[in-house]
Amino acid sequence: MSAISNSEASPIRVAVVGGGIAGITLAIALAQASTTKSMSVHLYEAAPHFTETGAGIGMFRRPWQVMKRLNLGEEIKTVANIPDDEDSLNLAFRMSKSDEPRSTQEFDMFIPFGNITMHRVEFQNALAHHLEHEAITTHFGKRLLEYTLEANGGILLHFRDGSTEQYDVLIGADGIHSATRQSMIQLAINDAQAAGNTDLVKDLSRPGIKDPVWSGSVAYRSLIPSDKLRELNPNHATLTAPVNYMGKDKHIIAFPVSLGKSVNFVGFVSQPEMEGTVWEGKTVVQRTHEDVAKAYEGWEEEVEQLVKLIDSPSMWAINTLKALPIASHGPVAIIGDAAHAMTPNQGSGAGQAIEDAYVLAALLTHPSVTRDSIPRALKIYEKIRLPHGNDVQRRSRENGKLYEFAADERFPHLSTVSTTTAGATATDTSETDVRGIDANRLVKEIGEAAVENWKWAWTTDVETDKMEAIRMLEEGEEA
Ligand SMILES: Cc1cc2nc3c(=O)[nH]c(=O)nc-3n(C[C@H](O)[C@H](O)[C@H](O)COP(=O)(O)OP(=O)(O)OC[C@H]3O[C@@H](n4cnc5c(N)ncnc54)[C@H](O)[C@@H]3O)c2cc1C
């Protein structure tokens, strides 16, 4: 076990647990803004090397701006097509009602910057190059089990290999099943009990706070070679832009990755009545071509072409957290999926992780922050970032419901949309099906509502969050 130094002159020792997009971005942001004299950053990853599961990832304007501010933009340009004019309107998603042989009029979501799409491993590798910095030490094969708080103010990290290490600050970037969150919530419950704060104890003990809950959806994921898809249909929409093929209780997101070499396929199948239950068993399992073909039987031709080329899909249970009431406790905080794991229906979970890292690094590296004031800096991070992460989590869920025609107060008539559009055939040119649903109108309404709910992602800037956090820190405002 290494000992902690209490001298203010020695660098603040920061442990970042989890080497996913959140942890890597945070380590880079901390190292760039600090000097080795002021801070040493230790990144702990459970796996023997950096891993990213799943194939594709999309990014909107806000996290892209963070990438540029962290001098990572040029590296990312080697793995993604970035628009020359970042203010120009680009096609972020094409939406259509696709659960029938004929396709509907599409709704095209043109937004400033658009939605850049990448292969996850290529994106993560582009980031990881920047970890080669004298302030950062990376440790692989180190799985955190829990942490405890020491009498000297330090945090003791307990790893599965039996080792322990002590730090001044711990940031849990360890994903949806975060060991950091589990310890943190338990310690916060203990403190709330001791203080007689029964409301907080109840809030922290809800399902979906310590452990995740199931969203009711599973996602089939696969990579499709673009050249094979081009052979089937040279004009297939997913060869050039992200597409959302929508249907009752199901939808498919597909977009080009690896600069157009492959198409990333994610097909969702939902049981809305199961939302909030606990998923039993492995969260990722292998499935067959036939499973996917069966799920999307009778869907439009473009879907049929994608499904035809799916080889060995994996199936993911989409688990989430509920809105957490805290993201910090003393000298410990959580970021990314550890703090606000969400459904992927606004393509923004990783974006939120990047934004958390950016704001938190600005606070922790501020010249006024000392060991003693770390908990206050972390509370400011929580106050600024947690409501945002929770809001995006809620909006993502709402969009997911729209894509799968789940009725809500805005769209009560969606309750009449059933699994397939009865009576429609490939040659049926009528726009209104036998139950009076005008599919074109439906797609337009859903598209407009989804965009309205999503526009925070391209009309606002995380710099505002950062400036407000710094203002609170400098003006001594209570967090
Ligand atoms: C189907 C799907 C599609 C998505 N599409 C998008 C998209 O287009 N855009 C977008 O922005 N987001 C998207 N997301 C969400 C995005 O993938 C996540 O929000 C993001 O990857 C979270 O990053 P993270 O670093 O917080 O967590 P993770 O990626 O889960 O990384 C956590 C890391 O911590 C390590 N770890 C875990 N436990 C421990 C431990 N105890 N000790 C040490 N290390 C540990 C893990 O090995 C891992 O490397 C999607 C998600 C899904 C499921």
Side-chain angles (χ1 to χ4, degrees):
M1 177 182 120
S2 67
I4 195 166
S5 161
N6 283 320
S7 151
E8 273 301 336
S10 64
I12 291 180
R13 281 170 53 88
V14 184
V16 179
V17 172
I21 290 165
I24 294 176
T25 308
L26 178 64
I28 294 169
L30 287 170
Q32 283 186 1
S34 65
T35 64
T36 42
K37 274 201 177 128
S38 64
M39 188 168 278
S40 68
V41 181
H42 289 255
L43 178 62
Y44 288 97
E45 167 55 45
H49 48 77
F50 292 126
T51 50
E52 250 299 337
T53 39
I57 192 152
M59 186 185 283
F60 290 87
R61 183 146 85 167
R62 275 175 64 118
W64 164 249
Q65 285 170 339
V66 174
M67 292 286 112
K68 277 199 308 183
R69 288 180 191 125
L70 294 177
N71 301 314
L72 302 169
E74 288 307 311
E75 197 83 43
I76 292 174
K77 282 182 183 170
T78 64
V79 299
N81 289 318
I82 311 291
D84 291 336
D85 174 2
E86 292 177 18
D87 293 326
S88 62
L89 297 181
N90 289 293
L91 181 57
F93 267 110
R94 165 163 289 183
M95 301 183 191
S96 58
K97 182 175 184 304
S98 303
D99 57 348
E100 54 187 318
R102 69 173 178 189
S103 75
T104 51
Q105 178 93 38
E106 294 98 4
F107 178 90
D108 284 346
M109 179 176 155
F110 278 96
I111 59 168
F113 185 68
N115 171 19
I116 59 166
T117 56
M118 297 169 276
H119 193 291
R120 280 173 179 261
V121 173
E122 293 167 6
F123 172 54
Q124 199 179 49
N125 286 344
L127 295 184
H129 283 153
H130 293 259
L131 287 173
E132 283 161 27
H133 189 289
E134 55 183 350
I136 307 174
T137 311
T138 304
H139 310 261
F140 290 107
K142 299 288 281 187
R143 179 171 289 280
L144 181 78
L145 289 182
E146 61 168 354
Y147 74 84
T148 48
L149 296 175
E150 298 298 283
N152 66 0
I155 308 154
L156 194 62
L157 275 57
H158 302 257
F159 294 98
R160 192 163 70 179
D161 61 10
S163 63
T164 56
E165 291 288 341
Q166 205 174 110
Y167 284 91
D168 300 313
V169 52
L170 162 62
I171 308 300
D174 43 354
I176 187 168
H177 299 286
S178 170
T180 313
R181 184 183 69 249
Q182 307 230 344
S183 284
M184 191 185 89
I185 297 291
Q186 190 52 54
L187 290 171
I189 288 174
N190 296 348
D191 285 356
Q193 271 166 343
N197 188 344
T198 48
D199 285 349
L200 184 57
V201 172
K202 221 167 132 191
D203 205 13
L204 290 166
S205 308
R206 281 181 293 134
I209 302 297
K210 235 186 189 183
D211 292 304
V213 288
W214 186 32
S215 66
S217 300
V218 294
Y220 293 104
R221 302 177 84 173
S222 187
L223 263 190
I224 296 168
S226 297
D227 48 2
K228 288 197 175 164
L229 185 60
R230 208 169 282 115
E231 276 171 29
L232 281 184
N233 177 359
N235 299 317
H236 200 286
T238 62
L239 289 167
T240 51
V243 183
N244 181 351
Y245 300 98
M246 304 185 293
K248 180 68 181 166
D249 293 338
K250 295 174 188 175
H251 75 284
I252 297 167
I253 300 289
F255 51 76
V257 295
S258 300
L259 299 169
K261 288 189 202 75
S262 312
V263 169
N264 176 54
F265 175 100
V266 189
F268 296 85
V269 176
S270 304
Q271 294 170 261
E273 71 285 1
M274 297 303 282
E275 183 171 2
T277 60
V278 174
W279 175 264
E280 303 292 349
K282 286 186 169 179
T283 49
V284 183
V285 289
Q286 210 55 42
R287 284 288 181 255
T288 62
H289 164 86
E290 287 69 30
D291 291 325
V292 184
K294 197 161 166 241
Y296 302 103
E297 203 175 338
W299 282 44
E300 67 158 281
E301 201 180 1
E302 281 212 350
V303 171
E304 218 176 77
Q305 291 162 345
L306 288 170
V307 170
K308 202 172 194 169
L309 296 173
I310 286 175
D311 200 0
S312 51
S314 52
M315 190 190 82
W316 294 51
I318 305 295
N319 286 315
T320 64
L321 294 174
K322 294 289 181 193
L324 261 60
I326 59 167
S328 78
H329 186 249
V332 179
I334 48 177
I335 65 172
D337 273 13
H340 39 61
M342 57 186 74
T343 57
N345 307 126
Q346 288 201 341
S348 292
Q352 286 307 291
I354 289 166
E355 294 184 14
D356 286 349
Y358 180 63
V359 174
L360 180 55
L363 285 163
L364 282 177
T365 56
H366 191 278
S368 71
V369 171
T370 61
R371 280 184 181 73
D372 288 345
S373 62
I374 284 170
R376 186 167 165 267
L378 298 185
K379 269 291 159 226
I380 293 174
Y381 152 77
E382 172 189 292
K383 177 146 190 193
I384 297 289
R385 287 298 309 163
L386 187 59
H388 199 277
N390 285 344
D391 191 49
V392 178
Q393 184 190 62
R394 176 184 62 76
R395 289 172 186 272
S396 293
R397 189 72 203 106
E398 283 176 4
N399 270 31
K401 287 183 175 169
L402 285 173
Y403 306 153
E404 299 191 350
F405 311 148
D408 68 10
E409 60 279 3
R410 289 170 304 166
F411 297 105
H413 58 291
L414 288 183
S415 61
T416 58
V417 182
S418 65
T419 310
T420 52
T421 312
T425 68
T427 54
D428 185 351
T429 53
S430 72
E431 291 185 351
T432 308
D433 81 3
V434 288
R435 280 154 300 105
I437 292 165
D438 177 337
N440 291 339
R441 203 191 96 205
L442 182 77
V443 171
K444 187 166 178 289
E445 276 181 2
I446 286 175
E448 284 170 355
V451 167
E452 182 63 27
N453 196 32
W454 207 341
K455 65 181 183 198
W456 63 269
W458 53 90
T459 57
T460 60
D461 187 339
V462 70
E463 204 61 18
T464 316
D465 285 5
K466 186 183 114 178
M467 298 314 288
E468 176 60 5
I470 298 297
R471 187 198 64 74
M472 286 177 73
L473 188 70
E474 290 178 348
E475 293 180 8
E477 194 170 307
E478 207 49 48

